[in-house]
């Protein structure tokens, strides 16, 4: 007998092999689609968590701080509720509302900190931070308020951006009100060079900016925002998406580049705080005025 495969059988086997390869391709594409959908779902869930947190706290403003609202040095905007980072003449403005107890805010900071710092350092954006305390209203405690006051005290020293990053990098689990302890906030100030001073400690312990923080939180609730973080590029929401595009470091850079096309980057040097203390030379870690 011949050891050759008959022509008809060979063709049938080749067609069967080709069909199996096509089926493998379809299965691979199906698995890829499932994974991609899961990633989008995580981002969408993050946005929903922020929405739930914002709405849950609306009926409970938490502890009411007494006394006049004392804005931190270098705060700008209406009622001096904005803490600016980056060159004052940067081409675009990135507005960010955050709560230091908000886990989605920490996820956002982890994913976008380097990108935002790069854009600010290059004069492409100035970042305008606003502080909210929705988790205190949702879960109880005072960690959102205490941490925001401490961040405002860091602003007085010209070190808001660096301390802001430390707070999110060390954020406790959401139900843990560790930031409700001033001692913990002062301990973390030790991670920012030159911040742990008698003036900073007194500002934190006395709650010097508590009423200002409450005023900022009221502005957040009355602003119609859906949760934290709220991220706006030149007034347009970009979290968790802009139009049909999901936010990502690459997309954020692309959106900023499109907004700034044909314009020269900002170069203004942020000024020192009003109290006369020295601000860091790095524009990414000092407030602009």
């Amino acid at each position: 007998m011949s050891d050759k495969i008959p022509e008809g059988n060979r063709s049938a086997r080749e067609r069967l092999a080709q069909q199996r390869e096509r089926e493998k391709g379809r299965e691979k594409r199906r698995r890829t689609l499932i994974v991609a959908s899961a990633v989008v779902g995580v981002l969408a869930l993050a946005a929903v968590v922020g929405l739930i947190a914002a709405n849950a706290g609306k009926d409970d403003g938490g502890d009411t701080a007494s006394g006049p609202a004392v804005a931190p040095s270098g705060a700008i905007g209406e009622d001096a509720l904005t803490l600016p980072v980056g060159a004052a003449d940067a081409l675009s403005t990135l507005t960010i509302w955050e709560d230091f107890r908000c886990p989605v805010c920490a996820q956002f900071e982890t994913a976008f900190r380097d990108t935002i710092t790069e854009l600010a350092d290059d004069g492409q954006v100035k970042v305008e931070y606003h502080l909210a305390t929705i988790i205190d209203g949702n879960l109880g405690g005072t960690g959102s308020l205490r941490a925001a006051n401490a961040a405002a005290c860091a602003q007085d020293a010209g070190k808001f951006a660096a301390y802001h990053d430390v707070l999110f990098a060390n954020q406790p689990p959401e139900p843990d009100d560790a930031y409700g302890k001033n001692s913990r906030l002062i301990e973390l100030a030790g991670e920012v060079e030159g911040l742990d001073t008698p003036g900073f400690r007194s500002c934190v312990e006395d709650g010097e900016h508590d009423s200002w923080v409450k005023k900022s939180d009221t502005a957040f609730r009355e602003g119609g925002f859906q949760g934290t973080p709220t991220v706006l590029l030149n007034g347009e929401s970009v979290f968790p998406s802009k139009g049909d595009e999901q936010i990502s470091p690459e997309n954020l850079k692309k959106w900023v580049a499109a907004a700034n096309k044909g314009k020269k980057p900002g170069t203004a040097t942020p000024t020192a705080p009003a109290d006369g203390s020295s601000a860091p030379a790095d524009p990414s870690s000092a407030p602009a005025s």
Side-chain angles (χ1 to χ4, degrees):
M1 286 182 65
S2 170
D3 58 357
K4 294 181 180 181
I5 300 174
E7 189 64 31
N9 290 345
R10 182 186 295 113
S11 297
R13 290 183 181 181
E14 289 175 349
R15 288 195 298 273
L16 181 59
Q18 291 172 354
Q19 182 178 353
R20 288 175 177 171
E21 287 300 318
R22 287 194 296 270
E23 290 174 351
K24 288 181 181 178
R26 284 195 294 269
E27 178 62 19
K28 183 178 180 179
R29 288 192 295 273
R30 187 183 71 84
R31 289 197 301 269
T32 300
L33 180 60
I34 290 174
V35 172
S37 299
V39 171
V40 172
V42 168
L43 287 171
L45 177 60
V48 170
V49 169
L51 172 61
I52 293 173
N55 288 337
K58 280 185 177 178
D59 295 328
D60 183 0
D63 295 336
T64 301
S66 59
V70 179
S73 300
I76 63 173
E78 185 176 356
D79 293 329
L81 297 178
T82 301
L83 301 181
V85 173
D89 62 345
L91 301 176
S92 288
T93 301
L94 192 67
T95 303
I96 303 177
W97 288 86
E98 292 181 314
D99 181 329
F100 287 111
R101 286 183 72 185
C102 163
V104 184
C105 297
Q107 292 168 16
F108 171 80
E109 285 294 332
T110 298
F112 291 90
R113 180 180 297 116
D114 291 346
T115 300
I116 292 173
T117 298
E118 177 185 339
L119 291 169
D121 286 349
D122 290 345
Q124 299 298 317
V125 299
K126 58 179 176 288
V127 189
E128 297 188 343
Y129 287 99
H130 298 262
L131 307 180
T133 62
I134 60 176
I135 305 300
D136 286 356
N138 185 22
L139 298 181
T142 60
S144 299
L145 173 63
R146 300 264 48 79
N149 172 69
C153 295
Q155 168 72 12
D156 286 335
K159 298 180 183 294
F160 166 77
Y163 188 61
H164 161 278
D165 292 350
V166 166
L167 287 177
F168 277 119
N170 292 274
Q171 185 188 72
E174 188 177 11
D176 182 355
D177 195 31
Y179 282 173
K181 298 179 180 179
N182 288 329
S183 58
R184 176 56 176 159
L185 299 169
I186 292 172
E187 177 186 6
L188 289 175
E191 297 188 19
V192 179
E193 185 177 359
L195 179 57
D196 187 6
T197 63
F200 174 80
R201 290 186 172 216
S202 176
C203 181
V204 172
E205 295 285 5
D206 294 345
E208 184 171 329
H209 300 298
D210 281 1
S211 293
W212 175 85
V213 173
K214 295 297 294 184
K215 194 171 185 178
S216 178
D217 183 67
T218 298
F220 170 78
R221 297 175 190 280
E222 294 178 350
F225 303 116
Q226 297 301 304
T228 55
T230 287
V231 185
L232 312 172
L233 177 60
N234 296 325
E236 179 182 2
S237 177
V238 294
F239 183 87
S241 62
K242 178 179 181 289
D244 296 330
E245 293 184 290
Q246 204 78 27
I247 192 171
S248 68
E250 295 75 19
N251 278 343
L252 181 57
K253 287 183 178 181
K254 182 182 72 173
W255 299 335
V256 170
N260 295 350
K261 187 176 181 180
K263 303 175 184 177
K264 293 183 179 180
T267 58
T269 301
T271 58
D275 64 0
S277 58
S278 298
D282 182 355
S284 68
S285 59
S289 61

